[in-house]
Amino acid sequence: MTSAHAELTQPSGTAVAAGAEDLTKVYGTGDTAVHALRGVTVGFAKSEFTAIMGPSGSGKSTLMHCLAGLDEASGGRAYIGDVALTGLSDKEMTKLRRDRIGFVFQSFNLVPTLTAAENITLPLDIAGRDVDREWFDTVVGRLGIGDRLGHLPTELSGGQQQRVACARALVGRPDIIFGDEPTGNLDSRSSGEVLSILRAATDEFGQTVVIVTHDPRAASYADRVVFLADGNIVRELTRPTADDVFEVMRHLDDDHFVTPESPSTTDDEDRPRPILSKTLSGAPAADAGVGRHQAADQGSDSGDSDSDDSSSGDSDPDTGPDGAAPRGRHEAR
């Protein structure tokens, strides 16, 4: 690793599922050139949930797209496991994305003419791979969509559609799942359910998950939060609350040269570990709003609708999945 940020942003003592070395991305040329990434070096540990955050234009989505093979970097190196993406042919890149990467997008990206079950197995069907029925049943059961498998996407709520998208990402057992604002089109109740699913994917299935989000509450589900500004990694937090994330975001423009060694004022041993307070096989548990994702503004009143799994708008960072103000961080995996 040659970047100055390498020591700060590389997980230590753990295997790495994906990463970048001195990654650059420039759009345009000359006076109109936009430097979206400026020599980013970062690694994402296996079986870890990481959130990438930053203000608009910081390069967070560009970084994820380059790591996932959806966009080509201008310089440096991106890799999935031991495979460098640089130099792969279109056919090789397609195969790598299909076989080793799972995606959960903000817009769900379900095929409207296929049932939920057919959407879930579509990548495997295209690859000509057999579906592991036992694993399929496990994933579907944990996500609580067993009674929706014969439904078309238009017959599902927004939360149910995103659960189908999560199942599609999980069923192929990818090396890593990338989520691009996976809760951006969901209300706060459905957002909490999807985030709990991604948290459980790491805790129960050992899945590596990396999401891009603008929501401090969503980021608080992660083991690690990486902050970008002006195409550089400028801060990191480990096991944060939503308040921790909110404070960093609020002062990010002032912190471009602050190292990630001062992430949070709470000692790790004193911080509650993640509790999956929601059962993924059905309705939310009674304390589904209890988690490590604290409201960024705890003085706010809850104004959430109690509607079931509707895709009704932006998530509310001040409320939990059940409409109540979240209290603290998830407890131990």
Side-chain angles (χ1 to χ4, degrees):
M1 307 268 180
T2 57
S3 169
H5 289 295
E7 185 177 348
L8 300 178
T9 60
Q10 182 74 20
S12 59
T14 55
V16 177
E21 296 177 6
D22 290 325
L23 201 67
T24 62
K25 179 63 179 180
V26 181
Y27 296 99
T29 59
D31 293 340
T32 61
V34 175
H35 294 264
L37 297 175
R38 300 172 182 267
V40 171
T41 294
V42 64
F44 299 99
K46 289 184 177 180
S47 302
E48 186 174 79
F49 186 165
T50 304
I52 302 174
M53 298 195 74
S56 178
S58 63
K60 58 185 183 295
S61 291
T62 301
L63 174 60
M64 194 199 76
H65 291 164
C66 289
L67 289 168
L70 298 174
D71 199 356
E72 185 175 354
S74 302
R77 176 175 177 260
Y79 54 91
I80 300 293
D82 57 355
V83 177
L85 304 188
T86 306
L88 291 182
S89 66
D90 289 344
K91 184 176 180 179
E92 291 169 331
M93 185 71 78
T94 298
K95 186 176 187 301
L96 180 137
R97 286 196 300 259
R98 185 186 65 203
D99 295 344
R100 302 186 62 175
I101 301 174
F103 295 99
V104 181
F105 296 100
Q106 179 175 341
S107 56
F108 317 140
N109 283 13
L110 301 180
V111 179
T113 57
L114 299 181
T115 65
E118 291 167 338
N119 269 285
I120 291 170
T121 63
L122 182 60
L124 296 176
D125 295 337
I126 292 174
R129 295 165 56 191
D130 292 333
V131 178
D132 182 336
R133 299 311 306 187
E134 183 177 357
W135 176 242
F136 176 92
D137 292 342
T138 297
V139 170
V140 166
R142 296 300 284 150
L143 271 57
I145 52 176
D147 60 346
R148 294 290 185 266
L149 295 180
H151 292 244
L152 297 173
T154 54
E155 300 170 326
L156 303 173
S157 69
Q160 290 167 344
Q161 289 185 62
Q162 196 62 300
R163 279 188 255 172
V164 171
C166 289
R168 179 181 59 191
L170 284 166
V171 79
R173 299 179 187 267
D175 292 358
I176 188 168
I177 290 176
F178 289 107
D180 190 1
E181 297 281 3
T183 61
N185 281 342
L186 302 177
D187 60 26
S188 59
R189 181 186 181 94
S190 298
S191 295
E193 292 175 350
V194 168
L195 290 165
S196 290
I197 287 166
L198 294 174
R199 179 72 257 173
T202 296
D203 295 338
E204 300 177 24
F205 300 151
Q207 181 66 63
T208 307
V209 176
V210 178
I211 68 168
V212 168
T213 183
H214 68 281
D215 182 1
R217 188 174 68 89
S220 71
Y221 280 78
D223 300 302
R224 173 180 175 227
V225 183
V226 176
F227 296 89
L228 269 73
D230 296 331
N232 293 297
I233 293 178
V234 294
R235 289 291 301 271
E236 286 192 24
L237 295 179
T238 301
R239 307 183 58 74
T241 65
D243 282 340
D244 296 332
V245 177
F246 178 78
E247 282 302 306
V248 171
M249 287 296 294
R250 193 158 68 93
H251 299 290
L252 199 58
D253 288 341
D254 303 327
D255 287 335
H256 281 197
F257 301 100
V258 177
T259 65
E261 274 117 1
S262 56
S264 172
T265 58
T266 306
D267 290 338
D268 192 58
E269 357 357 299
D270 297 331
R271 188 187 299 285
R273 297 294 181 94
I275 288 188
L276 290 177
S277 54
K278 175 184 176 300
T279 58
L280 302 187
S281 56
D287 61 342
V290 181
R292 72 187 181 192
H293 43 289
Q294 286 182 295
D297 178 5
Q298 297 188 7
S300 298
D301 294 331
S302 170
D304 274 8
S305 165
D306 291 331
S307 60
D308 177 34
D309 278 348
S310 62
S311 175
S312 59
D314 293 333
S315 61
D316 184 350
D318 298 333
T319 56
D322 59 354
R327 303 170 301 198
R329 192 182 161 92
H330 281 300
E331 164 124 6
R333 304 189 289 284

